[in-house]
Amino acid sequence: MIISQFFVLSQRGDNIVFRDYRRDVHKASAETFFRQVKFWNHDGQQDAPPVFNVDGVNYFHVKVAGLLFVATNRVNVSPSLVLEILQRIARLIKDYLGILNEDSLRKNFVLVYELLDEVIDFGYAQTTSTEVLKSYIFNEPIMTYSEVMPPLGAGSIFVQGNKRMPGTAITKSVVANEPGGRKREEIFVDVIEKISVTFNSSGYILTSEIDGTIQMKSYLTGNPEIRLALNDDLSIGRSDYTSSTAVILDDCNFHESVHLDSFDADRTLSLVPPDGEFPVMNYRMTQPFKPPFRINALLEETGPLKAEVIIKVRADFDPSINTNSVLVQMPVPKFTNRVSFELDHESVGNTTDFKEANKRLEWSIKKVVGGSEHTLRAKLTFSQELHGNIMKEAGPVSMTFVIPMYHPSRLQVKYLQIAKKSKAHNPYRWVRYVTQANSYVARL
């Protein structure tokens, strides 16, 4: 695999990091790339694909933490391989800096360039292992403290028994020590589930799927062995359990450091975690599950140039759980030129907007508590009479959200054992469950 250039751009198009490995692509490639991405409009698509070609130059990019990680070349290589390298470089930089954003990159540009020189040599990828690179990296990171970071919301809470810790605790560098030269012994586990659900016009579920990952970040010294136990009634690829509470995964894969010697017997994973953040296990589930939200949407014509939309969102999870910043969106007919909104009286802090350029309604719900219901009414006015079925020109309704301490698959980390020789030594163990919307859609 050959990479001619690597660079990182901010959302404004500022060049934060730039490395030219082979000098066979023009220096203005970053400007060309950003102009293409910002004003992309090919085949009706407004978002640029991860790989495209301009004047014989291949551009590969991924977006991580609001930053664009980009590689260029002029030869025929596997796009998926280049995209994977870009993701790994982003993860590697985050491991060393603790926080990945524009400010941390600018403060640590010397360290970042040192990492890039070890990761890629004359355009050829060498290694992206945080552990291996520790022997070759000598610059210390300049820490960006969490006080200057934007709030991450309730989804970033780690739990250990009755104790709670903010998610900013995981934003430490794996190579930096605590003040006083000490290193706090702790390990973080994220169970992140991205759900895809499609409802029909009556609110019934047409398709549902969960893509999950168990993510781990270790700050343990001495490379101790870890045992991670999952549900006893976990089944993979088959349904041997008659219990309705059994967790049935369609398929899964594990990190190369995971040993599966006792997995079939007692559903425990043993591993020696490498430095940095890594996925212990990825899994997929299509077994029926209870979706966190129910969406009902109704669109009807109320006059020659008028129509009304009613969207109801019900939170079907426990009242002890709440989520912030739920966003509901719906495309409207292209001749819509004015929209007026009506919200519930108790909808404090909720906002609505009509994006006229994209012909889309946006409804932002500030806080949703389990068991609550929210309703939006929108009156549409058209500039000219619609010809055909209004339903074909509007919708579907889509939602984006993050729900902390909620996991619809019911997959659980039962316990996390750390093998240490000293009985007095007891590292901290933190577990967090987060559910995100991957594709949450309701048809009209």
Side-chain angles (χ1 to χ4, degrees):
M1 184 198 70
I2 298 176
I3 292 176
S4 295
Q5 295 171 331
F6 170 84
F7 49 90
V8 181
L9 302 182
S10 70
Q11 291 181 336
R12 302 181 304 277
D14 298 335
N15 210 332
I16 305 172
V17 176
F18 184 91
R19 190 57 109 199
D20 193 342
Y21 292 103
R22 303 184 68 85
R23 303 187 185 279
D24 59 347
V25 175
H26 56 86
K27 294 288 186 182
S29 57
E31 183 181 346
T32 302
F33 165 79
F34 187 72
R35 189 166 57 248
Q36 289 288 328
V37 169
K38 188 173 180 63
F39 302 105
W40 186 272
N41 191 7
H42 294 270
D43 299 326
Q45 296 181 351
Q46 296 182 348
D47 294 328
V51 182
F52 58 86
N53 183 286
V54 178
D55 297 330
V57 177
N58 301 315
Y59 292 89
F60 310 81
H61 78 281
V62 296
K63 191 172 184 179
V64 183
L67 300 170
L68 291 165
F69 286 72
V70 190
T72 67
N73 70 14
R74 288 185 176 274
V75 297
N76 187 16
V77 297
S78 168
S80 59
L81 182 58
V82 180
L83 295 175
E84 176 66 19
I85 289 293
L86 291 176
Q87 290 280 9
R88 291 194 181 194
I89 290 175
R91 192 181 306 136
L92 173 69
I93 293 174
K94 183 176 183 292
D95 285 343
Y96 271 83
L97 305 189
I99 294 172
L100 181 59
N101 60 18
E102 183 178 347
D103 185 40
S104 64
L105 280 180
R106 292 190 186 279
K107 286 185 176 180
N108 292 277
F109 71 93
V110 175
L111 173 57
V112 172
Y113 276 112
E114 188 180 12
L115 284 168
L116 290 177
D117 289 342
E118 296 295 338
V119 170
I120 301 175
D121 184 17
F122 195 58
Y124 293 93
Q126 305 299 305
T127 181
T128 56
S129 168
T130 304
E131 197 165 5
V132 170
L133 288 170
K134 270 188 174 181
S135 306
Y136 305 100
I137 303 301
F138 300 99
N139 280 285
E140 289 287 328
I142 300 171
M143 300 309 297
T144 304
Y145 295 101
S146 58
E147 286 78 9
V148 300
M149 294 295 296
L152 299 177
S156 53
I157 300 294
F158 285 96
V159 175
Q160 181 194 34
N162 295 324
K163 297 180 182 179
R164 288 176 172 250
M165 175 175 279
T168 49
I170 202 172
T171 59
K172 299 184 300 181
S173 167
V174 296
V175 295
N177 293 324
E178 297 284 325
R182 296 175 292 104
K183 186 170 182 178
R184 181 171 167 132
E185 295 275 311
E186 53 193 349
I187 186 166
F188 295 87
V189 177
D190 272 326
V191 181
I192 302 171
E193 297 189 339
K194 296 182 179 180
I195 60 177
S196 300
V197 181
T198 302
F199 298 93
N200 67 7
S201 57
S202 302
Y204 292 102
I205 298 172
L206 297 177
T207 61
S208 61
E209 183 174 299
I210 297 175
D211 286 303
T213 181
I214 299 177
Q215 199 88 0
M216 184 177 287
K217 190 166 187 178
S218 172
Y219 295 96
L220 304 176
T221 58
N223 295 326
E225 184 182 15
I226 291 176
R227 289 178 63 83
L228 185 149
L230 304 177
N231 308 50
D232 292 330
D233 57 356
L234 173 64
S235 177
I236 299 172
R238 64 187 190 278
S239 179
D240 292 343
Y241 294 96
T242 56
S243 170
S244 60
T245 61
V247 178
I248 304 171
L249 306 181
D250 289 60
D251 49 64
C252 64
N253 58 67
F254 302 92
H255 189 265
E256 58 192 21
S257 64
V258 175
H259 299 289
L260 302 173
D261 300 340
S262 58
F263 183 69
D264 288 337
D266 56 12
R267 294 308 189 214
T268 59
L269 308 173
S270 60
L271 68 151
V272 176
D275 289 330
E277 192 171 352
F278 68 99
V280 177
M281 172 182 173
N282 297 305
Y283 58 91
R284 184 175 64 91
M285 188 180 96
T286 56
Q287 176 191 14
F289 62 91
K290 185 179 180 181
F293 291 100
R294 288 278 178 179
I295 312 174
N296 289 97
L298 175 65
L299 173 62
E300 59 182 5
E301 295 186 62
T302 56
L305 298 174
K306 294 182 179 180
E308 185 177 46
V309 178
I310 301 175
I311 303 175
K312 290 186 178 181
V313 174
R314 177 174 175 78
D316 275 352
F317 46 85
D318 193 90
S320 63
I321 298 173
N322 63 76
T323 178
N324 300 327
S325 302
V326 174
L327 180 63
V328 181
Q329 300 182 85
M330 175 183 156
V332 294
K334 61 183 178 181
F335 295 125
T336 306
N337 63 353
R338 191 168 69 251
V339 179
S340 61
F341 296 97
E342 292 180 16
L343 289 171
D344 298 334
H345 296 295
E346 63 271 15
S347 301
V348 180
N350 296 352
T351 60
T352 56
D353 193 13
F354 170 47
K355 302 291 185 182
E356 191 168 2
N358 300 324
K359 300 298 180 185
R360 186 176 69 238
L361 308 183
E362 289 191 357
W363 175 25
S364 178
I365 308 175
K366 186 177 181 181
K367 183 177 181 179
V368 178
V369 179
S372 63
E373 186 172 288
H374 301 261
T375 303
L376 169 71
R377 292 177 180 268
K379 296 181 179 179
L380 314 181
T381 304
F382 307 122
S383 59
Q384 65 183 71
E385 191 172 348
L386 298 177
H387 299 286
N389 190 349
I390 189 174
M391 298 295 186
K392 293 182 178 179
E393 296 193 35
V397 179
S398 62
M399 286 184 69
T400 56
F401 52 82
V402 177
I403 309 176
M405 304 315 297
Y406 177 81
H407 46 118
S409 73
R410 303 188 307 277
L411 182 72
Q412 287 185 312
V413 177
K414 289 173 55 185
Y415 63 81
L416 194 63
Q417 289 183 344
I418 303 173
K420 279 282 187 179
K421 293 181 179 179
S422 172
K423 293 183 179 179
H425 186 75
N426 188 24
Y428 291 93
R429 308 166 183 84
W430 303 98
V431 179
R432 172 174 66 174
Y433 296 91
V434 180
T435 295
Q436 303 173 350
N438 187 30
S439 173
Y440 212 84
V441 173
R443 297 177 181 174
L444 295 177

